[in-house]
Each structure stands twice: as C-alpha cells, then as structure tokens.
Amino acid sequence: VQLQASGGGLVPAGGSLRLSCVASGMAFKFHALGWFRQAPGEQREGVASISIDGRHTSYAESAKGRFTVARDNDKNTLYLLMNSLKPEDTAVYYCAAVQAAFEYSIFAKEREYAYWGRGTQVTVSS
C-alpha cells in the first residue's frame, strides 16, 4: 500500500491550496480516508475524514467552513481543498486510509488508520 500526498507549498494568508493523495496497492473504494497535519513541535491532529461513498465527512473545528475533503474512487485519489488559509495552518499534511466495513463509516482518530502517506508541507505566510 502506498499513499502519495502532493500539492503543498508556500502561500500567503488568505490563499488556497488543493492537496491530493493518490493511493496504490489497495482496494481504494473499500477504504475510508482522512487528512491529518502536524505542525512543528505539535502532535499530529485530524483535519478531515471521508467515508467510502464520499457522502459522509467530518472536519476539525479549525477546518470547518474553510476546508473541503473529497474523493474520486475512479482515480484512487483523495483531495483536500483549503481556502482562507491562515499561518496556523502551517504543517505537514498527511493522508491516511483504513479499510471500512460500511460505506458510511468515517474515522477521526489517528489510531484508527492503518495506512499513512509521507506528507506534504504547507506553509502559510502572514
């Protein structure tokens, strides 16, 4: 199983980025997915998660109203659209996957995920 995140970069506050995570070596459509992030000196935290069918999502309070998680099961790709970025969004962003029994299941906790990508750096300048 491989999860490859991309799309990070340096943006000014108020800007937007779209992160992508391409999965291989797994039955993508049977896995619930999530985005996590880790800022320097901080613990990794959940950002957003999405169910197998893409109809159920969950967001951290810090992400609500600004971030949108989506998936394309035909392309084996997970997305995170981030708008109105703030300096406190600066972190390494990771995608994660876990096989789910139900198409509506979502997982918000780090320990619930089985597979992890290497992360992509997002830096928001003030």
Side-chain angles (χ1 to χ4, degrees), residues 20-111:
S20 298
C21 175
V22 179
S24 60
M26 59 184 270
F28 186 80
K29 65 181 181 180
F30 295 127
H31 286 71
L33 305 166
W35 285 101
F36 292 77
R37 68 186 183 186
Q38 187 168 21
E42 302 288 334
Q43 294 209 341
R44 190 154 54 184
E45 62 177 3
V47 176
S49 53
I50 188 167
S51 61
I52 285 174
D53 63 5
R55 296 178 182 178
H56 304 271
T57 57
S58 176
Y59 295 91
E61 284 298 320
S62 59
K64 286 181 181 177
R66 299 188 300 127
F67 295 2
T68 301
V69 62
R71 64 189 293 164
D72 185 334
N73 286 347
D74 292 331
K75 295 182 178 179
N76 286 6
T77 303
L78 169 71
Y79 301 99
L80 183 68
L81 176 60
M82 305 186 292
N83 294 319
S84 302
L85 282 162
K86 305 174 182 179
E88 50 263 44
D89 294 318
T90 294
V92 176
Y93 283 71
Y94 299 89
C95 53
V98 59
Q99 190 167 352
F102 303 103
E103 60 182 12
Y104 52 80
S105 298
I106 53 175
F107 302 90
K109 296 181 174 61
E110 182 178 355
R111 65 175 183 267

